[in-house]
Amino acid sequence: MDFFDFGLILASVIFIAGAARRIVRWFAAGKSTAPDRNSLNPIKAVWALIFDGLLLARTGRTDKLRWISHTLVFFGFMGLLLFHALDDYVTAAFFPAFESTLDPWQWLRNLFGLMTLSGLAYMGHRRFHTRTVRDTSRFQDWAAILLVAGIILSGFFLEASKIISPAVFTRMTNEFFVPDEAGDMTALKAYWADEYGVVFPETLPMDEDTLEKGAELNQDSCADCHSNTKSAFVSRPLATAMMPLANSLNVSRADKVFWYLHIVFCFIGLATLPFGKFFHPLSAPVNLAARQGRRDGAPAGPFAQMVGLDACTRCGECSVRCSVAPSYAVLGNKDILPSEKLVSLGKYRSEGSLSGHDLEDFAQGSRICTECLQCTDICPVGINLQDLWLTSKPEVAAESPDPNQAVRAMDAVTRSSGLGEEPCLPPVYGLADNKESFHGCVQCTTCTSVCPVVAVSEDPSTDLDLTPQQIMNLLRMGLKDETLGARMVWSCTTCYKCQEHCPQNIKVADILYELRNTAAARIGRDRFKGEC
């Protein structure tokens, strides 16, 4: 058993064991042991696989550049997988005269590699320059990009080192070329050095007669299996750039070094495929087929939820477009963002619970979520995030109750009577006490219209007592104390949408946040009794 066979078997065993473990978890989740077959429409499932899976329609709907980059990576890598890595089983089966060193396969191999690298370059650029995506990027996100890039780059360097290698030329001629005359080998070498880019250690004659004779020998003995390496439009220029170091590279057999490097990258990719986000090439199509093109948040079974948890590509699009993402900027809790909350939920499900700060952060992220459905609608692999949030919210709330819930549960009279001015505490003067902060309010209701908390409330007058616009109006009338007991003050997610959209540039979110702090300070007055 050689290195290749041993590595392939080892990587395959790890892949099969890891994939089996995750699939078993899908069926073992909760009470349901299988997807609801009655709701599975095969036509819709196949259509979703083609439209959302192959054509990446969900990604294209939201971001054209992301769609282009993912399309380049997907079709580029699949082209390499089918027509290069599996060429003995796929390409040779459909094209009996297939030779990997002939065109169009040599040209296609370079095209697919360049497509993949171009897509990866944009992915890396986006992950580095988009603030929310950069903040939430984890090791596995960068590892996935670097691993695929390593496979492609080592492949290009392998092909380039073989182009310049006289050892590869010698191996080929030893097997397939029988010179008739003493000068045939020299003529063939001269032609390959001139046309194919091989760098021989000896000086070869480059006169017209020698090259013409070499061309005839090449046509008779080599052309059936080797196209001119000029069609390798990435590897050949790379080989030309390596020519100053050709003698050292050839002596050290760089072609073998790059072959081992390329194979090791491929085996690592195969072995890590069942772990973390690396599993999404397999789980995302299953999730898309199960969702059948739906974008709603209708309840799904435990099987569908577990598939959804495994399908995340960690593209970060849900976090970029999250309605309450501004709250993350204020509070710094990453579990406010859907992509990070999904990771915590996966840990919560696999471990049965969380502890300490992890549980508190996850609970706060769940509470702040306004269930606006935006993350579910935007997800490029169709994860039913809404169902995951609605299912997990009561569970985590039971383990880590909302500290503001006790205040929200009070009736209006109790809250108002409990928030009177406390003489033991120093008076607090801020935005809510400064008329210049809110005197420009024209009661246009823009703040109320964009508020996600108001949007998810069926009856804001009962659920929230007051809307943001009504709170601003009470402050204008000098009724600050009347606002402190309003459920809106305690329900605000500090998403800053009201403040961003206010045509009068009123700091609505800052005022609401200040009112909550003022009310919290007064509620805590019992701690100061006896210290006045």
Side-chain angles (χ1 to χ4, degrees), residues 297-310:
F303 177 89
Q305 291 180 353
M306 288 303 295
V307 174
L309 282 172
D310 285 344

Side-chain angles (χ1 to χ4, degrees), residues 145-434:
I145 292 176
L146 294 176
L147 180 59
V148 178
I151 292 173
I152 305 302
L153 287 173
S154 61
F156 277 133
F157 275 98
L158 170 59
E159 189 169 51
S161 63
K162 291 172 72 173
I163 288 175
I164 64 172
S165 173
V168 173
F169 174 86
T170 301
R171 176 178 56 78
M172 179 184 64
T173 53
N174 286 343
E175 293 183 28
F176 303 105
F177 179 66
V178 180
D180 294 329
E181 301 175 2
D184 286 354
M185 182 60 76
T186 299
L188 187 62
K189 281 185 175 182
Y191 182 79
W192 272 65
D194 185 55
E195 289 291 324
Y196 285 68
V198 181
V199 180
F200 293 97
E202 68 270 29
T203 300
L204 296 167
M206 290 295 176
D207 57 273
E208 185 175 344
D209 291 341
T210 301
L211 293 176
E212 185 176 346
K213 184 177 181 181
E216 293 175 359
L217 292 169
N218 177 72
Q219 186 63 35
D220 293 340
S221 304
C222 307
D224 289 341
C225 296
H226 288 272
S227 296
N228 195 314
T229 55
K230 291 177 181 176
S231 64
F233 59 91
V234 176
S235 300
R236 180 63 185 271
L238 184 60
T240 302
M242 293 164 62
M243 281 185 177
L245 302 173
N247 288 332
S248 299
L249 292 172
N250 291 333
V251 170
S252 61
R253 290 306 306 271
D255 57 306
K256 287 189 174 182
V257 174
F258 287 124
W259 181 85
Y260 278 106
L261 194 61
H262 186 59
I263 294 301
V264 167
F265 273 128
C266 293
F267 287 162
I268 291 175
L270 177 60
T272 55
L273 195 56
F275 303 101
K277 69 172 285 181
F278 293 86
F279 195 54
H280 79 265
L282 301 178
S283 55
V286 177
N287 188 69
L288 287 170
R291 289 282 282 163
Q292 302 175 61
R294 297 170 60 179
R295 304 181 191 280
D296 60 15
F303 177 89
Q305 291 180 353
M306 288 303 295
V307 174
L309 282 172
D310 285 344
C312 181
T313 65
R314 293 195 50 76
C315 66
E317 197 65 17
C318 55
S319 294
V320 171
R321 299 173 184 271
C322 177
S323 299
V324 296
S327 300
Y328 158 67
V330 175
L331 302 175
N333 178 6
K334 289 187 177 181
D335 279 353
I336 293 172
L337 303 174
S339 61
E340 306 313 294
K341 190 165 55 176
L342 195 67
V343 174
S344 294
L345 177 58
K347 190 177 178 183
Y348 182 81
R349 286 277 186 262
S350 62
E351 298 180 4
S353 184
L354 297 173
S355 59
H357 290 299
D358 290 343
L359 179 61
E360 293 175 6
D361 289 347
F362 181 45
Q364 186 184 48
S366 297
R367 287 195 299 271
I368 288 177
C369 174
T370 60
E371 300 154 14
C372 66
L373 195 66
Q374 191 154 321
C375 55
T376 305
D377 180 63
I378 212 75
C379 180
V381 292
I383 302 174
N384 189 350
L385 293 162
Q386 181 85 340
D387 180 50
L388 292 170
W389 307 151
L390 292 176
T391 305
S392 63
K393 186 173 283 189
E395 299 173 28
V396 71
E399 294 188 46
S400 181
D402 180 4
N404 293 336
Q405 185 59 37
V407 179
R408 281 200 289 266
M410 296 176 184
D411 57 65
V413 175
T414 304
R415 278 199 308 275
S416 298
S417 62
L419 296 173
E421 192 68 52
E422 172 53 54
C424 293
L425 297 174
V428 176
Y429 294 104
L431 294 171
D433 302 285
N434 186 352

Side-chain angles (χ1 to χ4, degrees), residues 454-468:
V454 176
V456 298
S457 172
E458 295 181 357
D459 185 3
S461 62
T462 301
D463 298 338
L464 305 172
D465 298 328
L466 298 170
T467 62

